[in-house]
Amino acid sequence: GLLLADAERYLTLPVNLSPKIPELAQTWIGLATEPEVIARLVERKLQTEYRYDLASPSGAAKDPLLDFLTVSRRGHCEFYSTAMAILLR
């Protein structure tokens, strides 16, 4: 199994993370508590409400992840993978 110290390291959020991101995650998952269900809900939202775009303007934003999730809703693979990982934490 995963050691507690490793789990804490993998689940730590960046200190400068906008509080809007965990709030957004909560609205996406509602009352779900099962990890697999939560992951599927986040995945579905990213698949259906966001668009893949190599020219996303979010990279130039002050807070690229927040911009991707709340403003442009367009991005490339790094935006999707980062969003999924942070939202699930």
Side-chain angles (χ1 to χ4, degrees):
L2 192 62
L3 298 175
L4 182 58
D6 289 334
E8 288 175 3
R9 184 179 76 199
Y10 292 130
L11 296 176
T12 300
L13 290 169
V15 294
N16 62 342
L17 185 71
S18 168
K20 293 178 183 179
I21 294 174
E23 291 168 7
L24 180 65
Q26 191 59 56
T27 64
W28 287 9
I29 67 169
L31 299 175
T33 58
E34 292 292 321
E36 184 176 344
V37 171
I38 291 170
R40 297 249 183 246
L41 288 167
V42 171
E43 177 185 46
R44 171 70 46 117
K45 205 65 137 157
L46 290 170
Q47 286 176 333
T48 60
E49 296 186 16
Y50 291 78
R51 187 168 54 96
Y52 192 85
D53 183 356
L54 291 174
S56 170
S58 294
K62 179 181 175 192
D63 187 335
L65 180 59
L66 182 62
D67 189 82
F68 168 69
L69 289 170
T70 62
V71 179
S72 78
R73 300 168 77 101
R74 301 176 5 227
H76 46 75
C77 55
E78 286 88 354
F79 284 104
Y80 283 89
S81 59
T82 300
M84 186 81 176
I86 296 297
L87 290 165
L88 291 177
R89 288 181 187 177

